[in-house]
Amino acid sequence: MKKVELLSPAGNYEKLETVYHYGADAAYIGGKFLNLRAFSKNFEDDELEKAVELAHKLNKKLFITVNAIPHNGDLEILPEYIKYLESIKVDAIIVADLGVFNIVRKLSNLPITISTQANNTNWASVSMWKDLGAKRIILARELSLSEIAEIRQKVPDVELEVFIHGAMCISVSGRCLLSNYLTGRDANTGECTQPCRWKYYIMEEKRPGEYFPIFEDEKGTYIMNSKDLCTVDFLNKIIETGVDSLKIEGRMKSSYYAGVTTKIYREAIDSYYSGNFKKENIEKWIKELQSVSHREYTSGFYLNKPDTDSQNYKTSSYIRNYKFVGKVIEKISESQYIVDVRNKIKKGEEIEIVSKIGNNIAIHLNKIVDYETKESLEEANPNQKIIIDSEKNIEVGDLIRVLL
Ligand code: SF4
């Protein structure tokens, strides 16, 4: 049986290494042109080449987003960019706009994925894109399991991709002018400031500075603040709709977020195929997914139409249980590893190595040694390189966290 693909986000080269390390089959990244995550650190050209090399060396895939909705002026460098992407052998490009699709199709043989920004919510539009030559369609987030299964059954010979984890839009994905209207930054060019998560009050024009609450409680209200999508407890049902690829959202999120979500969904997918998609494992995965920065979880549109319970009315703050403190970058002896410190670590602390596969490894930090000076330290700070001891086998690329 062909396994469904696990597709993870990568906002920069390090995140790309991390998601491949934790088991992503493919990753999606943005180049500098028409990329919907304009504010994440998008890949410059030479980094794109490096990224493709890394992907293919590991036998993985790499997709590039070109999925903003362009204006005339945006199109000028598109032909050159498309030819460049084809020359470096990216595995597909992700587009949302019909004009961009047409230019890519005429100028290259690159496989084309249709972005979720194109809002494909029915089999007829999926079928139309297939007829035009698209290789894969990312379905809109606003679909139920039965709608997806029906699309699969009616259009069998095109790849389908769906979101399984991450932030939701309160508007039909991306078709939203809130950010543009309130801040001048447009969601359709990747610059959304997420005003749907803001806290709103009413102000009468003759009483400036007097805020009247629209309230659920004393904290005010977040009337458009969607919970985040999490599907790990019914991932089996998503796989059984017959889709080809399961996508994690979050190119703006941290390496830690990208790594942990990838690891958990990797385990869940593998467990499904090995007959271990069981209650005790699901509970463990949910607990792990609670450890990454998130906003409370919802099943989105998959199981039922979202209702009042799919919103978070109290806060738009993120919940997180762990602090990401470092990354293992080299093994220097049987039991010694160099760690690149990202947040302060103190001697005597319990750290946890997020293992690539299976249970994490807890280590009591009896000593920390500075890699450069070889001096023993009481604490280490961001960007410092330290040596830690571990009798248990840890791997280069593993992330390290401490409980908050
Ligand atoms: S403001 Fe919210 S609903 Fe609108 S595009 Fe941004 S994230 Fe989506």
Side-chain angles (χ1 to χ4, degrees):
M1 192 194 297
K2 190 178 169 236
K3 250 190 197 179
V4 72
E5 173 187 89
L6 176 60
L7 174 57
S8 294
N12 60 31
Y13 189 81
E14 181 180 55
K15 291 178 200 173
L16 186 68
E17 288 180 315
T18 300
V19 298
Y20 287 152
H21 178 74
Y22 284 105
D25 300 307
Y28 61 102
I29 64 174
K32 62 189 177 187
F33 179 71
L34 283 182
N35 153 36
L36 261 192
R37 283 287 172 270
F39 283 94
S40 76
K41 193 182 176 318
N42 294 317
F43 287 70
E44 297 296 331
D45 284 355
D46 56 342
E47 282 188 308
L48 273 182
E49 289 169 44
K50 222 172 101 188
V52 175
E53 271 170 33
L54 175 70
H56 294 170
K57 191 174 88 191
L58 299 171
N59 212 13
K60 312 254 183 189
K61 291 203 166 129
L62 187 70
F63 309 138
I64 312 292
T65 56
V66 191
N67 63 340
I69 305 295
H71 288 248
N72 294 339
D74 300 321
L75 295 176
E76 279 163 27
I77 64 161
L78 183 61
E80 194 189 327
Y81 186 55
I82 296 303
K83 286 190 173 147
Y84 168 73
L85 291 180
E86 188 172 39
S87 75
I88 64 169
K89 299 189 169 50
V90 303
D91 293 294
I93 68 165
I94 304 169
V95 309
D97 178 75
L98 189 56
V100 174
F101 175 86
N102 204 29
I103 292 170
V104 177
R105 205 185 45 165
K106 282 183 174 156
L107 290 182
S108 77
N109 291 313
L110 278 168
I112 307 175
T113 293
I114 305 304
S115 167
T116 196
Q117 295 293 116
N119 307 115
N120 282 289
T121 53
N122 60 71
W123 62 264
S125 62
V126 168
S127 181
M128 182 279 298
W129 280 117
K130 186 207 84 178
D131 291 348
L132 288 176
K135 182 164 187 237
R136 174 182 294 192
I137 318 295
I138 307 172
L139 296 177
R141 288 180 178 88
E142 296 79 15
L143 292 178
S144 66
L145 285 171
S146 59
E147 286 176 303
I148 295 168
E150 188 182 353
I151 292 172
R152 172 74 301 163
Q153 185 242 324
K154 288 207 158 81
V155 198
D157 43 359
V158 71
E159 292 179 12
L160 297 178
E161 180 181 307
V162 293
F163 281 91
I164 53 167
H165 195 90
M168 298 283 281
C169 264
I170 203 72
S171 308
V172 174
S173 299
R175 299 238 162 158
C176 174
L177 296 175
L178 261 185
S179 179
N180 193 327
Y181 182 71
L182 292 174
T183 69
R185 284 166 46 178
D186 188 354
N188 286 316
T189 55
E191 298 177 2
C192 183
T193 52
Q194 302 201 331
C196 58
R197 322 255 185 234
W198 296 354
K199 184 174 184 176
Y200 288 93
Y201 290 91
I202 290 175
M203 194 181 72
E204 198 273 329
E205 64 176 352
K206 299 207 173 65
R207 292 175 174 80
E210 279 187 47
Y211 300 107
F212 296 94
I214 330 161
F215 73 100
E216 272 86 30
D217 62 20
E218 70 283 355
K219 290 183 186 145
T221 189
Y222 299 86
I223 46 177
M224 296 173 283
N225 182 27
S226 172
K227 292 180 180 175
D228 286 350
L229 180 67
C230 176
T231 63
V232 79
D233 51 330
F234 59 93
L235 201 72
N236 54 338
K237 295 195 172 125
I238 298 181
I239 296 172
E240 283 159 13
T241 62
V243 294
D244 300 276
S245 179
L246 305 178
K247 179 180 216 163
I248 297 170
E249 182 273 348
R251 269 191 288 148
M252 304 275 278
K253 301 273 176 64
S254 65
S255 284
Y256 174 68
Y257 174 94
V260 172
T261 50
T262 299
K263 171 181 165 160
I264 298 308
Y265 280 97
R266 174 79 276 152
E267 267 186 46
I269 292 169
D270 292 348
S271 298
Y272 172 79
Y273 290 98
S274 64
N276 288 310
F277 195 84
K278 296 187 176 145
K279 193 165 170 269
E280 60 269 27
N281 285 332
I282 292 171
E283 281 166 7
K284 190 183 74 183
W285 298 327
I286 290 177
K287 201 165 158 235
E288 262 306 291
L289 291 171
Q290 305 282 7
S291 83
V292 297
S293 173
H294 68 287
R295 287 189 189 96
E296 284 193 42
Y297 287 129
T298 170
S299 54
F301 288 72
Y302 282 112
L303 304 178
N304 308 102
K305 221 166 174 202
D307 55 17
T308 49
D309 196 42
S310 308
Q311 304 266 116
N312 189 339
Y313 301 102
K314 292 185 181 151
T315 176
S316 62
S317 304
Y318 286 96
I319 307 161
R320 64 187 185 126
N321 302 331
Y322 285 91
K323 181 172 68 166
F324 168 47
V325 293
K327 180 177 174 180
V328 180
I329 54 169
E330 202 179 324
K331 181 171 183 170
I332 47 174
S333 75
E334 259 324 290
S335 60
Q336 284 192 311
Y337 300 84
I338 303 176
V339 168
D340 190 14
V341 177
R342 302 300 169 82
N343 274 302
K344 190 174 279 203
I345 310 183
K346 290 186 182 146
K347 186 173 141 185
E349 248 177 343
E350 291 286 338
I351 59 167
E352 199 177 310
I353 311 290
V354 182
S355 305
K356 191 169 160 181
I357 297 169
N359 293 337
N360 294 338
I361 296 168
I363 297 177
H364 184 80
L365 272 188
N366 291 323
K367 66 172 179 175
I368 310 176
V369 172
D370 185 279
Y371 174 64
E372 303 293 336
T373 63
K374 305 293 181 281
E375 278 173 20
S376 189
L377 303 168
E378 287 303 307
E379 60 182 39
N381 292 305
N383 300 322
Q384 213 167 351
K385 295 200 176 22
I386 58 168
I387 301 171
I388 63 164
D389 293 337
S390 169
E391 292 307 323
K392 292 186 186 143
N393 194 28
I394 60 184
E395 286 193 40
V396 171
D398 284 352
L399 304 180
I400 304 173
R401 68 188 185 183
V402 295
L403 195 58
L404 281 170

